[in-house]
Amino acid sequence: MPPTDFQLSNQQEHSNWVRLRTLVTLRWFAIGGQSAAIFAAVRFYDVDVPVGAATFFITIAVVANLISYYAYPTNKRLSELEATFWLVFDILQLSALLYLTGGLNNPFAMLVLAPVTISATVLHLRSTVFLGVTAISLITLVSRYNLPLVSSDGVILTLPLIFQFGFWVALLISLVFLALYARQVTSEMNAMNEALLATQLALAREQKLTDLGGVVAAAAHELGTPLATIKLVSSELKEELSDQPELLEDAELIRSQADRCRDILQSMGRAGKDDLHLRMAPLETVIHEAAEPHLNRGKQVHFEVVPAEGASLTQPNIHRRPEIIHGLRNLVQNAVDFSQSLVTVKMTWTDTTIDVQISDDGPGFPQSVIGRIGDPYVRRRRFAEDGASRPGYQGMGLGLFIAKTLLERSGAKLSFSNSRRHGHASWTGHPTGGAVINVSWRREFLQKDVPADGAPLGQNQPNQIWP
């Protein structure tokens, strides 16, 4: 799955996530709050407010809501331009009310943060920057030019200049900080959701391939007897029809086609997993199966089986779970892609743990991202090195994220590091070896319900691929 295409398609959809009804509902709350604030200021605090002008701007917001309610369907979703327009409208309407009610002497000036924060969560960066600049410009204008708030006895309600300046600075800092924070959190959440979806798709694909292999294996087993019978009968017909060349040719054709059916079923059933005997296998067999697609790509993949000191010499049997195979396959692929000539897969076990180490002789993980390996869409890579070893590779980190997620789902713990094959670091402080990935399981996670050696496996169950 190309992560760039997947991510770009989702980025294009993010701007269409905003429902018009959501903005309309929020604007109704704003209208209610604005009306209540003006009513309270005039009725209970005897503040001289230009009620007529304020009512005019509040009415404009009411009319905009009514038009939105009746002119568009309930499930209307706004485009990038439409959402930007409505948020700019909200900033302008609020700024006009602030101009009429004392500017930054009005504590409700802080509400200008809301439209920019909404934009940071759902719109593209250029729209958020535009809204932020618009909000900052209008706040600066109303801080200098506004109608003062006057009490009933003629006293102008104003803050000291230093407090007004501090309030202006605080609004600007809050606006920038909240926008950046909201955008960062939302971007990480969206990237994680997209990467998890890609992980689920990868696991579902691996599971379907596993189940399909079981069906093929079952078909090969069931058709073995009739194909053998056809082959036997055709052989007998060949002997009886030796003096009839035209019929002998048909008998030979029947035999050759039976052989062809057998070969097709055998080739299709190589990955058959229906038999309970094939649902679990020795550790080396499972690891080799995971690495098999990358064994003939011009790099040497060396396997080492080294039991830990004091552990049994017999390899542990483990479940051939799709998430384990697919996760390890992604790790081996990454090692092969970046290695110079050699990838080493080392397997070891103790009485309580099973460990797999995948290392290569490439440049290692970039120091700038080694602490974030396993996060989706990691972009800060050494592009020159990545591009040279993998032309067209964007370095998004989605493959390692999928592998890490799948393996952790099986109970594994992963660690990423760079080796020190020469026993020291270079003068830059970077290790001189290649990348090293350690995957460790507790044995009970991989050997749950695995029968003891020599114990019966039980009766095979039919595959249930379709509901």
Side-chain angles (χ1 to χ4, degrees):
M1 176 185 297
T4 51
D5 295 342
F6 183 80
Q7 188 191 26
L8 288 175
S9 65
N10 281 276
Q11 284 178 343
Q12 294 171 354
E13 294 175 0
H14 287 175
S15 59
N16 296 328
W17 282 1
V18 185
R19 294 174 65 243
L20 177 60
R21 191 67 61 210
T22 301
L23 292 185
V24 168
T25 302
L26 292 175
R27 194 175 295 120
W28 281 125
F29 280 108
I31 291 170
Q34 293 165 0
S35 302
I38 292 177
F39 176 80
V42 174
R43 181 64 183 271
F44 299 108
Y45 296 99
D46 294 328
V47 177
D48 184 13
V49 175
V51 177
T55 303
F56 171 75
F57 286 109
I58 294 176
T59 303
I60 290 178
V62 173
V63 172
N65 266 11
L66 293 176
I67 292 175
S68 301
Y69 185 83
Y70 290 105
Y72 297 100
T74 303
N75 60 348
K76 165 71 175 177
R77 294 188 180 274
L78 299 176
S79 66
E80 176 86 10
L81 182 61
E82 291 171 335
T84 303
F85 168 79
W86 283 116
L87 292 174
V88 168
F89 170 81
D90 290 333
I91 294 175
L92 290 172
Q93 191 259 357
L94 178 60
S95 299
L97 288 177
L98 291 176
Y99 169 79
L100 297 173
T101 56
L104 295 189
N105 294 295
N106 188 336
F108 292 101
M110 63 179 296
L111 293 177
V112 76
L113 301 175
V116 181
T117 303
I118 293 174
S119 172
T121 59
V122 294
L123 300 183
H124 291 160
L125 180 60
R126 60 178 180 273
S127 300
T128 302
V129 171
F130 173 72
L131 285 166
V133 171
T134 301
I136 290 174
S137 301
L138 291 175
I139 284 294
T140 303
L141 284 175
V142 299
S143 69
R144 296 289 303 276
Y145 308 101
N146 57 77
L147 300 180
L149 294 173
V150 182
S151 65
S152 58
D153 54 1
V155 177
I156 297 178
L157 304 177
T158 181
L159 293 171
L161 290 179
I162 188 171
F163 280 91
Q164 292 187 40
F165 177 75
F167 191 26
W168 175 78
V169 172
L171 278 177
L172 266 58
I173 293 175
S174 300
L175 189 146
V176 174
F177 172 78
L178 286 178
L180 291 176
Y181 181 79
R183 184 167 188 84
Q184 181 67 23
V185 171
T186 304
S187 298
E188 291 180 0
M189 181 183 67
N190 292 336
M192 186 64 68
N193 288 337
E194 293 163 9
L196 287 174
L197 176 59
T199 302
Q200 293 171 356
L201 293 175
L203 181 58
R205 177 179 178 274
E206 190 71 20
Q207 185 64 56
K208 284 187 177 294
L209 290 176
T210 299
D211 293 340
L212 182 60
V215 172
V216 173
H221 175 74
E222 296 296 331
L223 292 176
T225 299
L227 285 175
T229 302
I230 294 173
K231 185 175 180 180
L232 177 62
V233 173
S234 63
S235 298
E236 294 176 352
L237 286 175
K238 284 180 61 178
E239 295 177 0
E240 296 178 3
L241 298 174
S242 57
D243 55 345
Q244 302 182 47
E246 66 280 0
L247 297 179
L248 177 62
E249 183 178 350
D250 292 339
E252 291 176 344
L253 179 61
I254 293 173
R255 179 184 175 88
S256 66
Q257 292 304 305
D259 290 337
R260 183 183 178 190
C261 290
R262 178 202 61 197
D263 295 339
I264 291 174
L265 287 172
Q266 286 180 349
S267 63
M268 293 176 63
R270 286 183 61 199
K273 304 172 181 68
D274 178 64
D275 196 321
L276 289 179
H277 180 69
L278 296 178
R279 287 191 178 275
M280 54 197 69
L283 174 63
E284 184 179 7
T285 302
V286 176
I287 304 302
H288 196 279
E289 178 184 353
E292 184 177 7
H294 306 291
L295 298 182
N296 298 313
R297 294 181 51 200
K299 309 288 180 66
Q300 180 184 358
V301 180
H302 176 65
F303 295 90
E304 295 182 3
V305 182
V306 184
E309 184 177 355
S312 172
L313 298 180
T314 304
Q315 287 190 35
N317 286 332
I318 65 173
H319 286 288
R320 300 171 70 254
R321 295 167 58 179
E323 57 265 37
I324 295 176
I325 294 175
H326 192 87
L328 291 174
R329 184 170 296 163
N330 276 11
L331 297 183
V332 172
Q333 176 185 357
N334 189 78
V336 171
D337 286 340
F338 287 100
S339 67
Q340 296 181 5
S341 60
L342 177 64
V343 173
T344 302
V345 181
K346 182 179 179 181
M347 295 154 272
T348 186
W349 61 89
T350 67
D351 293 337
T352 58
T353 62
I354 294 176
D355 299 284
V356 176
Q357 183 186 86
I358 301 173
S359 58
D360 62 68
D361 60 352
F365 294 114
Q367 295 297 313
S368 59
V369 301
I370 195 168
R372 297 184 290 128
I373 293 174
D375 291 342
Y377 307 118
V378 175
R379 293 179 177 81
R380 293 184 61 190
R381 288 177 177 264
R382 291 177 294 184
F383 181 77
E385 293 183 4
D386 292 353
S389 58
R390 296 177 68 179
Y393 176 65
Q394 298 296 323
M396 304 298 287
L398 185 59
L400 284 178
F401 172 81
I402 291 176
K404 184 173 182 288
T405 302
L406 291 177
L407 291 172
E408 287 179 345
R409 176 175 175 169
S410 70
K413 294 183 179 180
L414 285 79
S415 64
F416 302 88
S417 61
N418 288 324
S419 68
R420 300 175 183 268
R421 289 183 289 111
H422 304 294
H424 63 280
S426 66
W427 66 272
T428 61
H430 293 183
T432 54
V436 178
I437 303 176
N438 288 290
V439 187
S440 179
W441 294 268
R442 294 188 62 84
R443 290 186 68 144
E444 57 262 29
F445 290 137
L446 297 186
Q447 295 187 296
K448 184 179 180 180
D449 300 327
V450 173
D453 293 340
L457 299 179
Q459 185 176 0
N460 291 337
Q461 300 297 323
N463 282 293
Q464 298 292 335
I465 298 181
W466 298 279

